[in-house]
Amino acid sequence: MQDSDNKGYKTPTPDGREAEISSAASPSPSNNRQHDERPRSGAPADGASAAGMPDIDLDDLLSEPAGKDDNGEQSIALPAHVAGSGTLDRLVDQARDYAAAATAENTNKAYKTDWKHFASWCRRKGVDALVPSPAVIGLYITDCAKPQDGSPALSVSTIERRLSGLAANYRHRGLTLDMKDRHIASVWAGIKNTHGKPPTQKEAVLAEDVLEMVALLSFGLCDMRDRAILLIGYAGGLRRTEITGLDIGKEETDDGRGYLEMLDGGVVLHIRGKTGWREVEIGRGSSDQTCPVHALEQWLHFAKIDFGPVFRRVYRDNSGVGIERLSDKHVVRLIKRLVLDSGVGLDRPTLSKLSDEERVKHFSGHSLRAGLASGAEVDERYVQKQLGHASAEMTRRYQRRRDRFRVNLTKAAGL
């Protein structure tokens, strides 16, 4: 059952000759969406814009095992001079699993998409994508920044991630791409200077917004789950993958990102993040209606979940839950739907004159995380610890509202 919810560049070709390559347009963008729940009226089905993404079949792409090249060869394998055996083959398989786990799943997916786009571009230009040529990469990012056919240009941040994806892919193949080569470094510096803009930030969902959103939810299984997602996500300052990646206990699933430890005073979340494990402590709230711990307990009790993923699909008739983990995209869809239904943002000058369709684009899964950073009236270091940031500066980037002049260096300097 379903859930309810530049000319003159030359580059070597495979036969050793040099071929001149001219810039060309990158393919037109397309949206690829995955649905794991029934869309709600007026809510976008996906959490992020696919602008600038290649026109490819993501399902086919993402089904490829990590570490395979275009010929289907695994990048991690036994040396040619070593004879295979059952034990060694099992070790190779395990090594491939560890290599795939070196970066986050979403990062791996993004890197695969980046390579697919670059390989397609290279085929149209008649060059070998497997040859790590800085000259070719320089032309490629030039075409991404200013497509020759007038199609939408990619943002600087997207091009930067493309470069990271290509470098990572070459490393996995045992090849080296010299990112400091002038064909890349000079062109990339020029792109940043020409097209660079201040980073755009998603709007924060503040405490009062969360209360309005939660008030719209009923007490059916699906809404009980969504209430727990919102409150735990906000109080913990969690990423959407950290919310849906929670398990009841330690090491209960292979794809888990953390687990719960229920205590009298609240719940401790053990989260495996980008820099290792961290503890997120969520205390009990002032009332059951807004308490994230109470909402979590109610969901687990009525959903009869005592093992495995915490947040799962709910059957259409609210008769029970499935065994599969909820997609992290559900968190985005949930926030966008409730932003529309509750009118969150209408009192903000930057959003008040926008249509509902435009207003909801300013919110995402990160809005909960930004909300905690902006609304928690405690010492900044406690917020930094909760979010798992290595520096206070990173935490400040998440703060959409704060007294910027609480520490006044002008007066402190005697002026």
Side-chain angles (χ1 to χ4, degrees):
M1 300 182 71
Q2 298 297 320
D3 194 345
S4 64
D5 342 275
N6 276 313
K7 289 182 179 181
Y9 275 75
K10 291 185 178 182
T11 183
T13 57
D15 59 4
R17 294 180 290 110
E18 288 189 336
E20 188 170 71
I21 308 170
S22 61
S23 297
S26 59
S28 59
S30 67
N31 286 331
N32 295 279
R33 296 187 174 112
Q34 296 176 345
H35 303 274
D36 68 270
E37 292 211 346
R38 177 167 56 91
R40 307 292 184 108
S41 176
D46 211 340
S49 171
M53 299 304 286
D55 185 11
I56 60 175
D57 188 340
L58 279 182
D59 289 336
D60 289 344
L61 174 62
L62 299 183
S63 64
E64 296 175 4
K68 280 196 173 184
D69 60 24
D70 291 347
N71 299 317
E73 298 284 336
Q74 289 283 359
S75 59
I76 295 180
L78 286 173
H81 65 278
V82 176
S85 68
T87 301
L88 288 176
D89 288 344
R90 287 191 293 272
L91 287 174
V92 169
D93 289 339
Q94 184 63 64
R96 290 170 181 165
D97 291 340
Y98 284 140
T103 49
E105 180 183 358
N106 285 344
T107 302
N108 289 332
K109 290 180 180 180
Y111 282 177
K112 288 180 182 180
T113 302
D114 295 337
W115 179 259
K116 192 77 171 183
H117 184 275
F118 174 66
S120 175
W121 184 89
C122 286
R123 284 194 294 270
R124 296 196 303 274
K125 300 297 177 287
V127 296
D128 188 354
L130 295 178
V131 177
S133 168
V136 172
I137 302 297
L139 287 177
Y140 171 67
I141 62 175
T142 297
D143 202 21
C144 290
K146 193 172 184 179
Q148 300 302 297
D149 65 350
S151 60
L154 301 186
S155 67
V156 171
S157 60
T158 299
I159 297 174
E160 183 174 29
R161 198 209 65 204
R162 289 263 167 99
L163 283 172
S164 297
L166 297 182
N169 197 286
Y170 282 125
R171 285 197 302 271
H172 292 164
R173 300 170 190 272
L175 303 172
T176 301
L177 176 63
D178 185 5
M179 300 295 289
K180 296 182 179 180
D181 185 281
R182 62 187 178 88
H183 293 95
I184 297 178
S186 297
V187 173
W188 175 229
I191 289 174
K192 290 191 292 183
N193 287 339
T194 303
H195 303 291
K197 299 178 182 179
T200 57
Q201 295 181 317
K202 294 298 183 180
E203 288 285 327
V205 171
L206 303 172
E208 55 267 31
D209 302 325
V210 173
L211 295 180
E212 291 180 13
M213 295 161 72
V214 167
L216 297 176
L217 299 174
S218 69
F219 290 92
L221 272 179
C222 184
D223 281 1
M224 290 178 66
R225 177 200 63 193
D226 290 346
R227 180 181 290 103
I229 286 176
L230 283 174
L231 294 173
I232 288 292
Y234 177 82
L238 304 179
R239 301 175 178 88
R240 65 186 192 183
T241 54
E242 294 173 344
I243 297 173
T244 59
L246 288 171
D247 285 344
I248 297 296
K250 187 178 181 180
E251 298 179 350
E252 290 186 344
T253 65
D254 293 333
D255 61 341
R257 297 285 302 273
Y259 61 95
L260 310 176
E261 183 182 358
M262 302 298 299
L263 303 174
D264 291 340
V267 59
V268 177
L269 310 181
H270 301 267
I271 304 290
R272 187 180 71 232
K274 296 180 178 180
T275 58
W277 288 89
R278 78 180 194 275
E279 292 185 357
V280 176
E281 301 167 348
I282 302 178
R284 294 188 180 274
S286 55
S287 70
D288 286 347
Q289 288 75 19
T290 62
C291 176
V293 181
H294 180 75
L296 179 61
E297 290 173 336
Q298 292 292 97
W299 158 245
L300 294 176
H301 173 72
F302 287 101
K304 300 178 181 179
I305 298 175
D306 56 10
F307 184 87
V310 171
F311 297 112
R312 313 177 184 187
R313 296 188 179 193
V314 176
Y315 299 145
R316 286 190 183 276
D317 55 0
N318 275 321
S319 62
V321 301
I323 61 173
E324 63 272 24
R325 186 184 305 280
L326 196 65
S327 167
D328 64 289
K329 291 182 175 63
H330 173 75
V331 179
V332 182
R333 290 194 287 266
L334 172 64
I335 292 172
K336 289 180 178 288
R337 173 174 65 84
L338 293 178
V339 162
L340 285 174
D341 293 348
S342 65
V344 169
L346 290 177
D347 58 342
R348 305 180 191 184
T350 56
L351 302 179
S352 60
K353 296 181 180 180
L354 300 178
S355 65
D356 285 347
E357 182 180 357
E358 289 298 319
R359 175 167 57 91
V360 77
K361 291 180 181 179
H362 289 263
F363 295 87
S364 72
H366 245 54
S367 293
L368 294 176
R369 195 165 162 83
L372 178 71
S374 303
E377 297 180 358
V378 295
D379 192 300
E380 192 176 75
R381 57 183 174 175
Y382 295 112
V383 179
Q384 178 183 340
K385 177 181 180 296
Q386 190 83 334
L387 299 184
H389 289 155
S391 68
E393 180 59 34
M394 178 59 70
T395 302
R396 295 188 189 106
R397 294 182 187 180
Y398 281 76
Q399 295 174 335
R400 305 298 188 260
R401 64 178 190 185
R402 64 184 176 92
D403 184 359
R404 295 176 177 270
F405 305 107
R406 181 172 60 86
V407 177
N408 192 325
L409 292 182
T410 304
K411 292 182 178 179
L415 297 180

